[in-house]
Amino acid sequence: MSNGGPRAVLWDMDGTLLDSEKLWDVSLEALAQHLGGHLSHQGREAMVGSNMAQSLPILFNDLGLEFTPDDLTAAGQWLRMKTAELFDAGLEWRPGAQAALDMVAAAGMPMALVTNTERFLTERALGTLGRDRFTAIICGDEVTRGKPDPEPYAKAAAELGFAPGDCLAIEDSPTGTAVADAAGCSVLVVPCEVAVPEGRRRTQRVSLDGLTAEHLHDYWFRGQN
């Protein structure tokens, strides 16, 4: 384990770097209407930070609909294409995120993107984020067990050549934070849509605005003690 600070930074995407959770709000509600209902606030909140395989049963249950595996497959394809349409129309940065990426790069720390979003959609987001910023990109359909399992963060750290404890993860959701925590990362939490519980490995911050390399060292150190 590093004694001088984080060896790498592992970034979540939706709600952390990109203000894309609101686009998922639109596409999930559109799917709910396509299926003949409306998604409740509680149902949507339960999906934040989850992958499509977990979110679709939540949606069907929220609507009071029975479903088969074929129903989930069809709904997933509908949602995938609707969200792609929204991503292609333009993605906005979360406050301070672009400058924070530039700062980490200037500090010489390798970065990984760790997202529950499938590669099909992540590729669209990389045009905004900058593919070359990331040494590793872990997508939701490229792991055996996605978030809320710690595999994505463990895999990202391994691809960078470090242990999870050597890394600082930056997350916005309760699910993603719990995953990074369980993997052994120190976690900087910047909540977006949903409040995130406190925890030993976790430091909370209102936004990424003004984030410095010294902050990263401090947040990583706090998570190790």
Side-chain angles (χ1 to χ4, degrees):
M1 181 177 294
S2 168
N3 292 318
R7 304 291 297 277
V9 177
L10 314 180
W11 294 93
D12 173 55
M13 185 175 77
D14 294 302
T16 299
L17 287 172
L18 297 176
D19 198 14
S20 43
E21 287 291 358
K22 65 185 182 184
L23 301 183
W24 284 103
D25 290 344
V26 172
S27 61
L28 285 163
E29 174 56 24
L31 174 59
Q33 292 183 23
H34 175 71
L35 294 171
H38 290 280
L39 181 62
S40 72
H41 174 75
Q42 293 80 7
R44 174 63 184 111
E45 189 171 281
M47 298 177 193
V48 174
S50 295
N51 60 27
M52 195 174 294
Q54 295 156 343
S55 293
L56 289 173
I58 294 172
L59 185 144
F60 274 88
N61 287 327
D62 189 66
L63 299 178
L65 298 174
E66 295 183 357
F67 57 90
T68 67
D70 286 345
D71 293 328
L72 294 179
T73 298
Q77 184 60 18
W78 196 99
L79 180 62
R80 190 174 292 110
M81 298 311 297
K82 179 63 177 179
T83 308
E85 175 186 316
L86 296 172
F87 274 33
D88 287 346
L91 289 162
E92 297 180 4
W93 291 93
R94 290 289 295 156
Q98 189 170 12
L101 284 173
D102 291 339
M103 178 274 296
V104 176
M109 281 183 277
M111 294 185 280
L113 188 66
V114 187
T115 178
N116 259 349
T117 298
E118 297 176 351
R119 174 65 66 167
F120 172 74
L121 294 170
T122 301
E123 286 292 330
R124 287 168 154 75
L126 287 170
T128 297
L129 291 171
R131 182 187 309 275
D132 293 343
R133 295 182 191 270
F134 304 102
T135 303
I137 299 171
I138 309 298
C139 298
D141 54 343
E142 297 172 343
V143 291
T144 304
R145 299 173 302 279
K147 302 176 187 180
D149 189 277
E151 181 186 348
Y153 277 105
K155 182 176 181 179
E159 288 202 8
L160 296 180
F162 303 117
D166 291 328
C167 303
L168 178 68
I170 304 183
E171 271 281 357
D172 74 294
S173 71
T175 297
T177 298
V179 169
D181 192 330
C185 302
S186 296
V187 191
L188 170 58
V189 184
V190 187
C192 177
E193 298 285 333
V194 182
V196 178
E198 301 285 344
R200 183 179 68 82
R201 296 184 190 276
R202 309 171 185 184
T203 303
Q204 302 230 6
R205 185 182 172 97
V206 173
S207 85
L208 293 170
D209 274 327
L211 189 70
T212 66
E214 290 74 21
H215 288 137
L216 297 182
H217 283 67
D218 183 41
Y219 300 149
W220 175 84
F221 185 78
R222 291 185 202 177
Q224 303 303 307
N225 295 278

